Amino acid sequence: MAIQVNLDNRIFLIPEADDPCDFWTSYFAKLRRELGKENAKMIWLITWKTNGSAACTTSPNFNKWLQKNDLDVSNMATRTIADLSEIGGNLFGLGKNLTKILSIGVPVVLGIVLVGIIVLLRNSTKNANVTDLTMLTPAGRGLKLLSK
């Protein structure tokens, strides 16, 4: 829950750690409008140091906003987490597309393989006769050996 501060008849709502990231960005915009860019950066960074939300630093969008406004509040660990979450989002998006492709492609490939096996069996049995069938059994092979 934000803390309300009144300075020179100007009201500022100061965010706390459990406030959403959008509230932090709107707080900076209000500071910038009221106090100028450099003063806003300094006050915002001091507020962040005291009340900053670690959850916001893991958001890729929030980190882009920080970079756009030339605010550096995160350490390497939280930047890495944010980058990994963005990569994960990209992979999940790719996975959704692959799922669609596989749901159609796998049955089509299996159907083609099944048709190929049927054609192969049909062509191999087209000129077969009974003696060919007896050669598949051990007894039939034994008879051929005896007849030689």
Side-chain angles (χ1 to χ4, degrees):
M1 187 71 172
I3 300 169
Q4 184 174 335
V5 175
N6 190 352
L7 292 171
D8 294 331
N9 293 326
R10 291 185 249 179
I11 296 174
F12 294 97
L13 293 174
I14 300 175
E16 293 186 356
D18 58 346
D19 287 326
C21 302
D22 291 339
F23 192 74
W24 281 95
T25 59
S26 64
Y27 171 62
F28 181 76
K30 169 99 175 170
L31 287 172
R32 191 173 182 178
R33 256 191 331 269
E34 298 286 332
L35 306 172
K37 184 178 180 181
E38 289 305 313
N39 290 332
K41 279 177 60 175
M42 180 185 65
I43 293 170
W44 193 91
L45 287 169
I46 290 170
T47 307
W48 181 267
K49 186 176 180 182
T50 307
N51 299 345
S53 172
C56 288
T57 58
T58 61
S59 166
N61 292 334
F62 188 76
N63 281 335
K64 287 177 187 173
W65 176 84
L66 287 171
Q67 191 174 32
K68 178 181 158 192
N69 289 291
D70 196 28
L71 297 166
D72 187 18
V73 297
S74 61
N75 59 28
M76 287 304 289
T78 54
R79 284 185 194 159
T80 302
I81 292 170
D83 291 344
L84 290 177
S85 68
E86 189 170 0
I87 291 169
N90 291 340
L91 288 178
F92 288 135
L94 176 64
K96 289 177 187 175
N97 291 338
L98 282 178
T99 303
K100 289 178 185 177
I101 293 169
L102 291 177
S103 67
I104 296 169
V106 169
V108 168
V109 169
L110 289 176
I112 291 171
V113 168
L114 184 61
V115 168
I117 290 172
I118 290 171
V119 168
L120 181 69
L121 288 174
R122 186 182 148 276
N123 288 341
S124 65
T125 58
K126 189 186 284 185
N127 297 327
N129 56 30
V130 177
T131 55
D132 294 333
L133 184 61
T134 58
M135 291 304 294
L136 295 176
T137 64
R141 279 180 283 195
L143 289 174
K144 184 165 184 171
L145 291 175
L146 292 175
S147 64
K148 283 187 179 182

